[in-house]
Amino acid sequence: MQQMLKQAQKMQQQIAKAQAELAEAEVTGTAGGGLVTATVSGAGEIKSIKIDPKAVDPEDVETLEDLVVAALHNASEAARQLTEQKMGPVAGGMGGLGLPGF
């Protein structure tokens, strides 16, 4: 029992460390060949959106809106992959604890 508690505490520390690393990490996503760039934290928080002036066409705002959404989607996917990379090894080790949901 004590071994399981020590193992659980170690994993909790590893999870906290991975979460802190994710919060500090930043990933980017682009769309339109780099016309729109979105930066998000590893935790998925939107940090910035950069729009190349060439992407701004008052006659075609819809395309710019689509590019922003695509860049955000791309960045969110990169954040998801980073989360899997950071949390995967830790979460994988929880299966042996017999904890519900892990």
Side-chain angles (χ1 to χ4, degrees):
M1 181 69 166
Q2 206 153 352
Q3 179 66 20
M4 282 182 61
L5 288 175
K6 285 182 182 180
Q7 187 178 11
Q9 287 174 336
K10 182 179 179 184
M11 284 190 199
Q12 188 176 21
Q13 290 170 344
Q14 290 172 330
I15 290 170
K17 180 182 177 193
Q19 288 173 331
E21 289 173 0
L22 286 170
E24 291 179 19
E26 289 188 353
V27 293
T28 59
T30 61
L35 290 175
V36 177
T37 301
T39 302
V40 299
S41 73
E45 179 185 344
I46 299 169
K47 296 291 189 172
S48 69
I49 301 285
K50 302 285 186 211
I51 300 173
D52 187 307
K54 290 182 255 176
V56 179
D57 178 358
E59 301 295 319
D60 187 14
V61 174
E62 188 174 300
T63 296
L64 178 57
E65 292 169 343
D66 290 344
L67 289 174
V68 170
V69 170
L72 285 168
H73 177 74
N74 188 272
S76 293
E77 178 62 20
R80 186 194 61 76
Q81 289 175 359
L82 182 62
T83 298
E84 283 183 12
Q85 186 180 57
K86 294 278 185 190
M87 298 297 283
V90 175
M94 290 183 175
L97 288 178
L99 298 174
F102 292 102

Coordinates of all heavy atoms in Angstrom, one line a residue:
M1 N 0.8 -1.2 0.0 CA 0.0 0.0 0.0 C 0.9 1.3 0.0 O 0.6 2.2 -0.7 CB -0.9 -0.1 1.2 CG -1.9 1.1 1.3 SD -3.0 1.1 0.0 CE -4.2 2.2 0.5
Q2 N 1.9 1.2 0.8 CA 2.8 2.4 0.9 C 3.5 2.6 -0.4 O 3.7 3.8 -0.9 CB 3.8 2.3 2.0 CG 4.2 3.6 2.6 CD 4.7 3.5 4.0 OE1 4.5 2.5 4.7 NE2 5.2 4.5 4.5
Q3 N 3.9 1.5 -1.1 CA 4.5 1.6 -2.4 C 3.6 2.3 -3.4 O 4.0 3.1 -4.2 CB 4.9 0.2 -2.8 CG 5.6 0.2 -4.2 CD 6.9 0.9 -4.2 OE1 7.6 1.1 -3.2 NE2 7.4 1.2 -5.4
M4 N 2.3 1.9 -3.3 CA 1.4 2.5 -4.3 C 1.2 4.0 -4.0 O 1.1 4.8 -4.9 CB 0.0 1.8 -4.1 CG -0.1 0.5 -4.9 SD -1.7 -0.3 -4.7 CE -2.7 1.0 -5.6
L5 N 1.2 4.4 -2.7 CA 1.1 5.8 -2.4 C 2.3 6.6 -2.9 O 2.2 7.7 -3.4 CB 0.9 6.0 -0.9 CG -0.4 5.6 -0.3 CD1 -0.4 5.7 1.2 CD2 -1.5 6.5 -1.0
K6 N 3.5 6.0 -2.7 CA 4.7 6.7 -3.2 C 4.7 6.8 -4.7 O 5.1 7.8 -5.3 CB 6.0 5.9 -2.8 CG 6.3 6.1 -1.3 CD 7.6 5.3 -1.0 CE 7.9 5.5 0.5 NZ 9.1 4.8 0.9
Q7 N 4.2 5.7 -5.4 CA 4.1 5.7 -6.9 C 3.1 6.8 -7.3 O 3.4 7.6 -8.2 CB 3.7 4.4 -7.4 CG 3.8 4.3 -8.9 CD 3.4 2.9 -9.4 OE1 2.9 2.0 -8.6 NE2 3.6 2.6 -10.6
A8 N 2.0 6.9 -6.6 CA 1.0 7.9 -6.9 C 1.5 9.3 -6.7 O 1.3 10.2 -7.6 CB -0.3 7.7 -6.1
Q9 N 2.3 9.5 -5.7 CA 2.8 10.9 -5.4 C 3.9 11.2 -6.5 O 3.9 12.4 -6.9 CB 3.5 10.9 -4.0 CG 2.5 10.9 -2.9 CD 3.2 10.8 -1.5 OE1 4.3 10.3 -1.4 NE2 2.5 11.3 -0.5
K10 N 4.7 10.3 -6.9 CA 5.7 10.5 -7.9 C 5.0 10.9 -9.2 O 5.4 11.8 -9.9 CB 6.5 9.3 -8.1 CG 7.6 9.5 -9.2 CD 8.5 8.3 -9.3 CE 9.6 8.5 -10.4 NZ 10.4 7.3 -10.6
M11 N 3.9 10.1 -9.6 CA 3.2 10.5 -10.8 C 2.5 11.8 -10.7 O 2.5 12.5 -11.7 CB 2.2 9.4 -11.1 CG 2.8 8.1 -11.7 SD 1.5 7.0 -12.2 CE 2.5 5.5 -12.3
Q12 N 2.0 12.1 -9.5 CA 1.4 13.5 -9.4 C 2.4 14.6 -9.6 O 2.1 15.6 -10.2 CB 0.8 13.6 -8.0 CG -0.1 14.8 -7.7 CD -0.7 14.8 -6.4 OE1 -0.3 14.1 -5.4 NE2 -1.8 15.6 -6.2
Q13 N 3.6 14.4 -9.1 CA 4.7 15.3 -9.3 C 5.0 15.4 -10.8 O 5.2 16.5 -11.4 CB 5.9 15.0 -8.5 CG 5.7 15.2 -7.0 CD 6.9 14.6 -6.2 OE1 7.7 13.8 -6.7 NE2 7.0 15.0 -5.0
Q14 N 5.1 14.3 -11.5 CA 5.4 14.3 -12.9 C 4.3 15.0 -13.7 O 4.5 15.7 -14.7 CB 5.5 12.8 -13.4 CG 6.8 12.2 -12.9 CD 6.8 10.7 -13.3 OE1 5.8 10.0 -13.4 NE2 8.0 10.2 -13.4
I15 N 3.0 14.8 -13.3 CA 1.9 15.4 -14.0 C 2.0 16.9 -13.8 O 1.8 17.7 -14.7 CB 0.5 14.9 -13.5 CG1 0.3 13.5 -14.0 CG2 -0.6 15.8 -13.9 CD1 -0.8 12.8 -13.4
A16 N 2.3 17.4 -12.6 CA 2.4 18.8 -12.3 C 3.5 19.4 -13.1 O 3.4 20.5 -13.6 CB 2.6 19.0 -10.8
K17 N 4.6 18.7 -13.2 CA 5.7 19.2 -14.0 C 5.4 19.3 -15.5 O 5.6 20.3 -16.1 CB 7.0 18.3 -13.8 CG 8.2 18.7 -14.6 CD 9.3 17.8 -14.5 CE 10.5 18.3 -15.3 NZ 11.5 17.2 -15.5
A18 N 4.7 18.3 -16.0 CA 4.3 18.3 -17.4 C 3.3 19.4 -17.7 O 3.4 20.1 -18.7 CB 3.7 16.9 -17.8
Q19 N 2.4 19.6 -16.7 CA 1.4 20.7 -16.9 C 2.1 22.1 -16.9 O 1.7 23.0 -17.7 CB 0.3 20.6 -15.8 CG -0.6 19.5 -16.0 CD -1.6 19.3 -14.9 OE1 -1.3 19.6 -13.7 NE2 -2.8 18.7 -15.1
A20 N 3.0 22.3 -16.0 CA 3.8 23.5 -16.0 C 4.5 23.8 -17.3 O 4.6 24.9 -17.8 CB 4.7 23.5 -14.8
E21 N 5.2 22.7 -17.8 CA 5.9 22.8 -19.1 C 4.9 23.2 -20.2 O 5.2 24.0 -21.1 CB 6.6 21.5 -19.4 CG 7.8 21.3 -18.5 CD 8.4 19.9 -18.7 OE1 7.9 19.1 -19.5 OE2 9.4 19.6 -18.0
L22 N 3.7 22.6 -20.2 CA 2.7 22.9 -21.2 C 2.3 24.3 -21.1 O 2.1 25.0 -22.2 CB 1.5 21.9 -21.1 CG 1.8 20.5 -21.6 CD1 0.6 19.6 -21.2 CD2 2.0 20.5 -23.1
A23 N 2.1 24.8 -19.9 CA 1.6 26.2 -19.8 C 2.6 27.2 -20.3 O 2.3 28.2 -20.8 CB 1.3 26.4 -18.3
E24 N 3.9 26.8 -20.2 CA 5.0 27.7 -20.6 C 5.3 27.6 -22.1 O 5.8 28.5 -22.7 CB 6.2 27.5 -19.8 CG 6.1 27.9 -18.4 CD 7.4 27.6 -17.6 OE1 8.5 27.5 -18.2 OE2 7.3 27.6 -16.3
A25 N 5.0 26.4 -22.7 CA 5.3 26.2 -24.1 C 4.4 27.0 -25.0 O 3.2 27.2 -24.6 CB 5.2 24.7 -24.4
E26 N 4.9 27.3 -26.1 CA 4.1 28.0 -27.2 C 4.2 27.2 -28.5 O 5.4 26.8 -28.8 CB 4.4 29.4 -27.3 CG 4.0 30.3 -26.2 CD 4.2 31.8 -26.4 OE1 4.8 32.2 -27.4 OE2 3.8 32.6 -25.6
V27 N 3.1 27.0 -29.2 CA 3.2 26.4 -30.5 C 2.4 27.3 -31.4 O 1.6 28.1 -31.0 CB 2.5 25.0 -30.5 CG1 3.3 24.0 -29.6 CG2 1.1 25.0 -29.9
T28 N 2.8 27.2 -32.7 CA 2.1 28.0 -33.7 C 1.4 27.2 -34.8 O 1.8 26.0 -35.0 CB 3.1 29.0 -34.4 OG1 4.1 28.1 -35.1 CG2 3.8 29.9 -33.5
G29 N 0.4 27.8 -35.4 CA -0.2 27.2 -36.5 C -0.4 28.2 -37.6 O -0.5 29.4 -37.3
T30 N -0.3 27.8 -38.8 CA -0.4 28.8 -39.9 C -1.5 28.4 -40.9 O -1.9 27.2 -40.9 CB 1.0 28.9 -40.7 OG1 1.3 27.6 -41.2 CG2 2.1 29.4 -39.7
A31 N -1.9 29.3 -41.7 CA -2.8 29.0 -42.8 C -2.5 30.0 -43.9 O -1.9 31.0 -43.7 CB -4.2 29.2 -42.3
G32 N -2.9 29.6 -45.1 CA -2.7 30.5 -46.3 C -1.3 30.7 -46.6 O -0.9 31.8 -47.0
G33 N -0.5 29.6 -46.4 CA 0.9 29.7 -46.7 C 1.7 30.7 -45.8 O 2.6 31.4 -46.3
G34 N 1.2 30.9 -44.6 CA 1.8 31.8 -43.7 C 1.2 33.1 -43.6 O 1.7 34.0 -42.9
L35 N 0.1 33.4 -44.3 CA -0.5 34.7 -44.3 C -1.1 34.9 -42.9 O -1.2 36.1 -42.5 CB -1.6 34.8 -45.4 CG -1.1 34.9 -46.8 CD1 -2.3 34.9 -47.8 CD2 -0.2 36.1 -47.0
V36 N -1.6 33.9 -42.2 CA -2.1 34.0 -40.9 C -1.4 33.0 -40.0 O -1.2 31.8 -40.3 CB -3.6 33.7 -40.8 CG1 -4.2 33.8 -39.4 CG2 -4.4 34.7 -41.7
T37 N -0.9 33.5 -38.8 CA -0.2 32.7 -37.9 C -0.9 32.9 -36.5 O -1.1 34.0 -36.1 CB 1.3 33.1 -37.8 OG1 1.9 33.0 -39.0 CG2 2.0 32.2 -36.8
A38 N -1.2 31.7 -35.9 CA -1.8 31.7 -34.5 C -0.8 31.1 -33.6 O -0.2 30.1 -33.9 CB -3.1 31.0 -34.5
T39 N -0.6 31.7 -32.4 CA 0.2 31.1 -31.4 C -0.6 30.8 -30.2 O -1.4 31.7 -29.7 CB 1.4 32.1 -31.0 OG1 2.1 32.5 -32.2 CG2 2.3 31.6 -30.0
V40 N -0.5 29.6 -29.7 CA -1.2 29.2 -28.5 C -0.2 28.5 -27.5 O 0.8 28.1 -27.9 CB -2.3 28.2 -28.8 CG1 -3.4 28.8 -29.7 CG2 -1.8 26.9 -29.4
S41 N -0.6 28.6 -26.2 CA 0.2 27.9 -25.2 C 0.0 26.4 -25.4 O -1.0 25.9 -26.0 CB -0.2 28.3 -23.8 OG -1.4 27.8 -23.5
G42 N 0.9 25.6 -24.8 CA 0.7 24.2 -24.8 C -0.6 23.7 -24.2 O -1.1 22.7 -24.4
A43 N -1.1 24.6 -23.3 CA -2.4 24.3 -22.6 C -3.6 24.8 -23.5 O -4.8 24.6 -23.1 CB -2.4 25.0 -21.3
G44 N -3.3 25.3 -24.6 CA -4.4 25.7 -25.6 C -4.9 27.2 -25.5 O -5.8 27.6 -26.2
E45 N -4.2 28.0 -24.6 CA -4.6 29.4 -24.5 C -4.1 30.2 -25.7 O -2.9 30.1 -26.0 CB -4.0 30.0 -23.2 CG -4.3 31.4 -23.0 CD -3.6 32.0 -21.7 OE1 -3.1 31.2 -20.9 OE2 -3.5 33.2 -21.6
I46 N -4.9 31.0 -26.3 CA -4.5 31.8 -27.5 C -3.7 32.9 -27.0 O -4.0 33.7 -26.1 CB -5.8 32.3 -28.2 CG1 -6.6 31.2 -28.7 CG2 -5.3 33.2 -29.4 CD1 -8.0 31.6 -29.3
K47 N -2.5 33.0 -27.6 CA -1.5 34.0 -27.2 C -1.5 35.2 -28.2 O -1.4 36.3 -27.8 CB -0.1 33.4 -27.1 CG 0.1 32.4 -26.0 CD 0.0 33.0 -24.7 CE 0.3 32.1 -23.5 NZ 0.4 32.8 -22.3
S48 N -1.5 34.8 -29.5 CA -1.5 35.9 -30.5 C -2.0 35.4 -31.9 O -2.0 34.2 -32.1 CB -0.1 36.5 -30.6 OG 0.8 35.5 -31.3
I49 N -2.4 36.4 -32.7 CA -2.8 36.1 -34.1 C -2.0 37.2 -34.9 O -2.0 38.4 -34.6 CB -4.3 36.4 -34.3 CG1 -5.1 35.4 -33.5 CG2 -4.6 36.2 -35.8 CD1 -5.2 34.0 -33.9
K50 N -1.3 36.7 -35.9 CA -0.6 37.6 -36.8 C -1.2 37.5 -38.2 O -1.4 36.4 -38.7 CB 0.9 37.3 -36.9 CG 1.6 37.3 -35.5 CD 1.9 38.7 -35.1 CE 2.7 38.7 -33.8 NZ 2.5 39.7 -32.9
I51 N -1.5 38.6 -38.8 CA -2.1 38.6 -40.1 C -1.2 39.4 -41.1 O -1.0 40.6 -40.8 CB -3.5 39.2 -40.1 CG1 -4.4 38.3 -39.2 CG2 -4.1 39.2 -41.5 CD1 -5.8 38.9 -38.9
D52 N -0.7 38.8 -42.1 CA 0.0 39.5 -43.1 C -0.9 40.5 -43.9 O -2.0 40.1 -44.2 CB 0.6 38.5 -44.1 CG 1.6 39.1 -45.1 OD1 1.2 40.1 -45.8 OD2 2.7 38.6 -45.2
P53 N -0.5 41.7 -44.0 CA -1.4 42.7 -44.7 C -1.9 42.2 -46.1 O -2.9 42.6 -46.5 CB -0.5 43.9 -44.9 CG 0.5 43.8 -43.7 CD 0.7 42.3 -43.6
K54 N -1.1 41.3 -46.7 CA -1.5 40.8 -48.0 C -2.8 40.0 -47.9 O -3.5 39.8 -48.9 CB -0.4 39.9 -48.7 CG 0.8 40.7 -49.1 CD 1.8 39.7 -49.7 CE 2.9 39.5 -48.7 NZ 3.9 38.6 -49.1
A55 N -3.1 39.5 -46.7 CA -4.3 38.7 -46.5 C -5.6 39.5 -46.3 O -6.7 39.0 -46.4 CB -4.1 37.8 -45.3
V56 N -5.4 40.8 -46.2 CA -6.5 41.7 -45.9 C -7.1 42.3 -47.2 O -6.4 43.1 -47.9 CB -6.1 42.9 -45.0 CG1 -7.3 43.8 -44.7 CG2 -5.5 42.3 -43.7
D57 N -8.3 41.8 -47.5 CA -9.0 42.3 -48.7 C -10.4 42.6 -48.3 O -11.2 41.8 -48.0 CB -9.0 41.1 -49.8 CG -9.8 41.5 -51.0 OD1 -10.3 42.7 -51.1 OD2 -9.8 40.7 -52.0
P58 N -10.7 43.9 -48.3 CA -12.0 44.4 -47.8 C -13.2 43.8 -48.6 O -14.3 43.7 -48.1 CB -12.0 45.9 -48.0 CG -10.6 46.3 -48.1 CD -9.8 45.1 -48.6
E59 N -12.9 43.3 -49.8 CA -13.9 42.7 -50.7 C -14.1 41.2 -50.3 O -15.0 40.6 -50.8 CB -13.5 42.9 -52.1 CG -13.3 44.3 -52.6 CD -14.6 45.1 -52.5 OE1 -15.7 44.6 -52.9 OE2 -14.6 46.3 -52.1
D60 N -13.2 40.7 -49.5 CA -13.2 39.2 -49.3 C -12.9 38.9 -47.8 O -11.9 38.3 -47.5 CB -12.3 38.5 -50.2 CG -12.5 37.0 -50.1 OD1 -13.4 36.5 -49.5 OD2 -11.6 36.2 -50.6
V61 N -13.6 39.5 -46.9 CA -13.4 39.3 -45.5 C -13.6 37.8 -45.1 O -12.9 37.3 -44.2 CB -14.3 40.2 -44.6 CG1 -14.2 39.9 -43.1 CG2 -14.0 41.6 -44.9
E62 N -14.5 37.1 -45.8 CA -14.8 35.7 -45.4 C -13.5 34.8 -45.6 O -13.3 34.0 -44.7 CB -15.9 35.2 -46.3 CG -16.4 33.8 -45.9 CD -17.6 33.4 -46.8 OE1 -18.6 34.1 -46.8 OE2 -17.4 32.4 -47.5
T63 N -12.7 35.1 -46.6 CA -11.5 34.3 -46.7 C -10.5 34.5 -45.5 O -10.0 33.6 -45.0 CB -10.8 34.6 -48.0 OG1 -11.6 34.2 -49.1 CG2 -9.5 33.8 -48.2
L64 N -10.4 35.7 -45.1 CA -9.5 36.0 -44.0 C -10.1 35.4 -42.7 O -9.3 34.8 -42.0 CB -9.4 37.6 -43.8 CG -8.6 38.0 -42.6 CD1 -7.2 37.5 -42.6 CD2 -8.6 39.5 -42.5
E65 N -11.4 35.4 -42.5 CA -12.0 34.7 -41.4 C -11.7 33.2 -41.4 O -11.3 32.6 -40.4 CB -13.5 35.0 -41.4 CG -13.9 36.4 -41.1 CD -15.3 36.7 -41.3 OE1 -16.0 35.9 -42.0 OE2 -15.8 37.7 -40.8
D66 N -11.8 32.6 -42.6 CA -11.5 31.2 -42.7 C -10.0 30.9 -42.4 O -9.7 29.9 -41.8 CB -11.8 30.7 -44.1 CG -13.3 30.7 -44.4 OD1 -14.1 30.7 -43.4 OD2 -13.7 30.6 -45.6
L67 N -9.1 31.8 -42.9 CA -7.7 31.6 -42.6 C -7.4 31.7 -41.1 O -6.6 30.9 -40.6 CB -6.9 32.7 -43.4 CG -6.8 32.5 -44.9 CD1 -6.1 33.7 -45.5 CD2 -6.1 31.2 -45.2
V68 N -8.1 32.6 -40.4 CA -7.9 32.7 -39.0 C -8.3 31.5 -38.3 O -7.6 30.9 -37.4 CB -8.6 34.0 -38.4 CG1 -8.6 34.0 -36.9 CG2 -7.9 35.3 -38.9
V69 N -9.5 31.0 -38.6 CA -10.0 29.7 -38.0 C -9.0 28.6 -38.3 O -8.7 27.8 -37.5 CB -11.4 29.4 -38.5 CG1 -11.9 28.0 -38.1 CG2 -12.4 30.5 -38.0
A70 N -8.6 28.5 -39.6 CA -7.7 27.4 -39.9 C -6.3 27.5 -39.2 O -5.8 26.5 -38.7 CB -7.4 27.4 -41.4
A71 N -5.8 28.7 -39.0 CA -4.6 28.8 -38.2 C -4.8 28.5 -36.8 O -3.9 27.8 -36.2 CB -4.0 30.3 -38.3
L72 N -5.9 28.9 -36.2 CA -6.2 28.5 -34.8 C -6.4 27.0 -34.7 O -5.9 26.4 -33.7 CB -7.5 29.2 -34.3 CG -7.3 30.7 -34.0 CD1 -8.7 31.3 -33.8 CD2 -6.4 30.8 -32.8
H73 N -7.0 26.4 -35.6 CA -7.2 24.9 -35.6 C -5.8 24.2 -35.7 O -5.6 23.3 -35.0 CB -8.1 24.5 -36.8 CG -8.2 23.0 -36.9 ND1 -9.0 22.2 -36.0 CD2 -7.7 22.1 -37.7 CE1 -8.9 21.0 -36.3 NE2 -8.1 20.8 -37.3
N74 N -5.0 24.7 -36.6 CA -3.7 24.1 -36.8 C -2.9 24.3 -35.5 O -2.2 23.3 -35.0 CB -3.0 24.9 -37.9 CG -1.7 24.2 -38.3 OD1 -0.6 24.6 -37.8 ND2 -1.7 23.3 -39.3
A75 N -2.9 25.4 -34.8 CA -2.2 25.6 -33.6 C -2.8 24.8 -32.5 O -2.0 24.2 -31.6 CB -2.2 27.1 -33.2
S76 N -4.1 24.6 -32.4 CA -4.7 23.8 -31.4 C -4.3 22.3 -31.6 O -4.1 21.6 -30.6 CB -6.2 23.9 -31.5 OG -6.6 25.2 -31.1
E77 N -4.2 21.9 -32.8 CA -3.8 20.5 -33.0 C -2.3 20.3 -32.6 O -2.0 19.3 -32.0 CB -3.9 20.2 -34.5 CG -3.4 18.8 -34.9 CD -4.2 17.7 -34.2 OE1 -5.3 17.9 -33.7 OE2 -3.6 16.6 -34.2
A78 N -1.5 21.3 -32.8 CA -0.1 21.3 -32.4 C 0.0 21.2 -30.8 O 0.8 20.5 -30.3 CB 0.7 22.4 -32.9
A79 N -0.9 22.0 -30.2 CA -1.0 22.0 -28.7 C -1.4 20.6 -28.2 O -0.9 20.1 -27.2 CB -1.9 23.1 -28.2
R80 N -2.4 20.0 -28.9 CA -2.9 18.7 -28.5 C -1.8 17.6 -28.6 O -1.6 16.8 -27.8 CB -4.1 18.3 -29.4 CG -4.7 17.0 -28.9 CD -5.7 16.4 -30.0 NE -5.0 16.1 -31.2 CZ -4.3 15.0 -31.5 NH1 -4.0 14.2 -30.5 NH2 -3.7 14.8 -32.6
Q81 N -1.0 17.7 -29.7 CA 0.1 16.8 -29.9 C 1.1 17.0 -28.9 O 1.7 16.0 -28.3 CB 0.7 16.9 -31.3 CG -0.3 16.4 -32.4 CD 0.3 16.7 -33.8 OE1 1.3 17.3 -34.0 NE2 -0.5 16.3 -34.8
L82 N 1.4 18.2 -28.5 CA 2.4 18.5 -27.5 C 1.9 17.9 -26.1 O 2.7 17.4 -25.4 CB 2.7 20.0 -27.4 CG 3.7 20.4 -26.3 CD1 5.1 19.8 -26.7 CD2 3.8 21.9 -26.3
T83 N 0.6 18.1 -25.9 CA 0.1 17.6 -24.6 C 0.2 16.1 -24.6 O 0.6 15.5 -23.5 CB -1.4 18.0 -24.5 OG1 -1.5 19.4 -24.4 CG2 -2.0 17.4 -23.2
E84 N -0.1 15.4 -25.7 CA 0.1 13.9 -25.7 C 1.5 13.5 -25.5 O 1.8 12.6 -24.8 CB -0.4 13.4 -27.1 CG -1.9 13.3 -27.2 CD -2.3 12.7 -28.5 OE1 -1.5 12.1 -29.2 OE2 -3.5 12.8 -28.8
Q85 N 2.4 14.3 -26.1 CA 3.8 14.0 -25.9 C 4.3 14.2 -24.5 O 5.0 13.3 -24.0 CB 4.6 15.0 -26.9 CG 6.1 14.7 -27.0 CD 6.7 15.7 -27.9 OE1 6.6 16.9 -27.7 NE2 7.4 15.2 -28.9
K86 N 3.8 15.2 -23.8 CA 4.3 15.5 -22.5 C 3.5 14.6 -21.4 O 4.1 14.2 -20.5 CB 4.0 17.0 -22.1 CG 4.9 18.0 -22.9 CD 6.2 18.1 -22.2 CE 7.1 19.1 -23.0 NZ 8.4 19.1 -22.5
M87 N 2.2 14.5 -21.6 CA 1.4 13.8 -20.7 C 1.3 12.3 -20.9 O 1.0 11.5 -20.0 CB 0.0 14.4 -20.6 CG 0.0 15.8 -20.2 SD 0.6 16.1 -18.6 CE -0.8 15.6 -17.6
G88 N 1.5 11.9 -22.2 CA 1.4 10.4 -22.5 C 2.2 9.5 -21.6 O 1.6 8.5 -21.1
P89 N 3.5 9.7 -21.5 CA 4.3 8.8 -20.7 C 3.8 8.7 -19.2 O 3.8 7.7 -18.6 CB 5.7 9.4 -20.7 CG 5.7 10.2 -22.0 CD 4.3 10.7 -22.1
V90 N 3.4 9.9 -18.7 CA 2.9 9.9 -17.3 C 1.6 9.2 -17.2 O 1.4 8.4 -16.3 CB 2.8 11.4 -16.8 CG1 2.2 11.5 -15.4 CG2 4.2 12.1 -16.9
A91 N 0.6 9.6 -18.1 CA -0.7 9.0 -18.0 C -0.7 7.5 -18.3 O -1.4 6.7 -17.7 CB -1.6 9.7 -19.0
G92 N 0.3 7.1 -19.1 CA 0.4 5.6 -19.4 C 0.8 4.8 -18.2 O 0.4 3.7 -18.0
G93 N 1.6 5.4 -17.3 CA 2.0 4.7 -16.1 C 0.9 4.6 -15.1 O 1.1 3.9 -14.1
M94 N -0.2 5.4 -15.2 CA -1.2 5.3 -14.2 C -2.1 4.1 -14.3 O -2.8 3.8 -13.4 CB -2.1 6.6 -14.4 CG -1.4 7.8 -13.9 SD -2.6 9.2 -14.1 CE -1.6 10.5 -13.4
G95 N -2.1 3.4 -15.4 CA -2.9 2.3 -15.6 C -2.7 1.2 -14.5 O -3.6 0.5 -14.2
G96 N -1.5 1.1 -14.1 CA -1.1 0.1 -13.1 C -1.6 0.5 -11.6 O -1.5 -0.3 -10.7
L97 N -2.1 1.7 -11.5 CA -2.5 2.1 -10.1 C -3.9 1.6 -9.7 O -4.3 1.7 -8.6 CB -2.5 3.6 -10.0 CG -1.1 4.3 -10.0 CD1 -1.3 5.8 -9.9 CD2 -0.3 3.8 -8.8
G98 N -4.7 1.2 -10.7 CA -6.0 0.8 -10.5 C -6.9 2.0 -10.1 O -7.9 1.8 -9.4
L99 N -6.6 3.2 -10.6 CA -7.4 4.4 -10.3 C -8.4 4.5 -11.4 O -8.2 4.4 -12.5 CB -6.5 5.6 -10.3 CG -5.4 5.7 -9.2 CD1 -4.5 6.9 -9.4 CD2 -6.0 5.7 -7.8
P100 N -9.7 4.8 -11.0 CA -10.7 5.0 -12.0 C -10.4 6.1 -12.9 O -9.9 7.2 -12.5 CB -12.0 5.4 -11.1 CG -11.6 5.0 -9.7 CD -10.1 5.0 -9.6
G101 N -10.6 5.9 -14.2 CA -10.4 6.9 -15.2 C -9.0 7.0 -15.7 O -8.7 7.7 -16.6
F102 N -8.1 6.1 -15.2 CA -6.7 6.2 -15.7 C -6.3 4.8 -16.3 O -6.7 3.8 -15.9 CB -5.8 6.5 -14.5 CG -5.9 7.9 -14.0 CD1 -6.6 8.2 -12.9 CD2 -5.4 9.0 -14.7 CE1 -6.7 9.5 -12.4 CE2 -5.5 10.3 -14.3 CZ -6.2 10.5 -13.1

